[in-house]
């Protein structure tokens, strides 16, 4: 697995809609990685907090679910089965 740092790009977290019951991460980055026979995309989510939030793992899981669901709905995410 080799990360392609030239492909690193900051995504606009506001691109992914948030509703009253949802929100989004403070920063989202995308970077490509190259393996033996395929290229993958890795998304990095950052959330900055001023206080301890014991439910942060749950919030991050929700961010990731909403993020990937939005990619799927916009058909930017395709699954390849080998």
């Amino acid at each position: 697995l080799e990360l392609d740092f030239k492909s690193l790009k900051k995504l606009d977290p506001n691109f992914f809609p948030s509703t009253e019951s949802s929100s989004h991460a403070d920063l989202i980055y995308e970077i490509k990685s190259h393996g033996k026979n395929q290229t993958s995309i890795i998304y990095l989510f950052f959330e900055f907090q001023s206080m301890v939030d014991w439910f942060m793992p749950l919030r991050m899981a929700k961010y990731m679910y909403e993020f990937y669901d939005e990619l799927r709905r916009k058909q930017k995410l395709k699954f390849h089965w080998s």
Side-chain angles (χ1 to χ4, degrees), residues 27-39:
L27 290 171
I28 303 172
Y29 284 92
E30 172 186 283
I31 188 168
K32 292 182 181 177
S33 67
H34 304 287
K36 289 182 180 180
N37 298 320
Q38 68 181 14
T39 297

Side-chain angles (χ1 to χ4, degrees), residues 7-78:
S7 74
L8 181 67
K9 91 176 142 176
K10 181 179 172 184
L11 301 180
D12 180 4
N14 296 318
F15 171 76
F16 303 95
S18 60
T19 63
E20 189 174 308
S21 64
S22 70
S23 55
H24 50 73
D26 291 335
L27 290 171
I28 303 172
Y29 284 92
E30 172 186 283
I31 188 168
K32 292 182 181 177
S33 67
H34 304 287
K36 289 182 180 180
N37 298 320
Q38 68 181 14
T39 297
S40 301
I41 298 175
I42 299 171
Y43 293 100
L44 306 167
F45 294 77
F46 294 91
E47 177 71 22
F48 301 103
Q49 298 291 300
S50 58
M51 296 176 53
V52 173
D53 181 356
W54 297 106
F55 290 98
M56 183 52 71
L58 184 60
R59 283 178 54 193
M60 292 304 291
K62 185 177 177 184
Y63 294 161
M64 291 189 315
Y65 167 77
E66 291 175 351
F67 176 83
Y68 284 111
D69 190 48
E70 186 68 16
L71 287 179
R72 180 193 55 82
R73 287 190 293 117
K74 292 186 182 287
Q75 297 182 345
K76 292 186 178 195
L77 180 67
K78 295 185 173 139

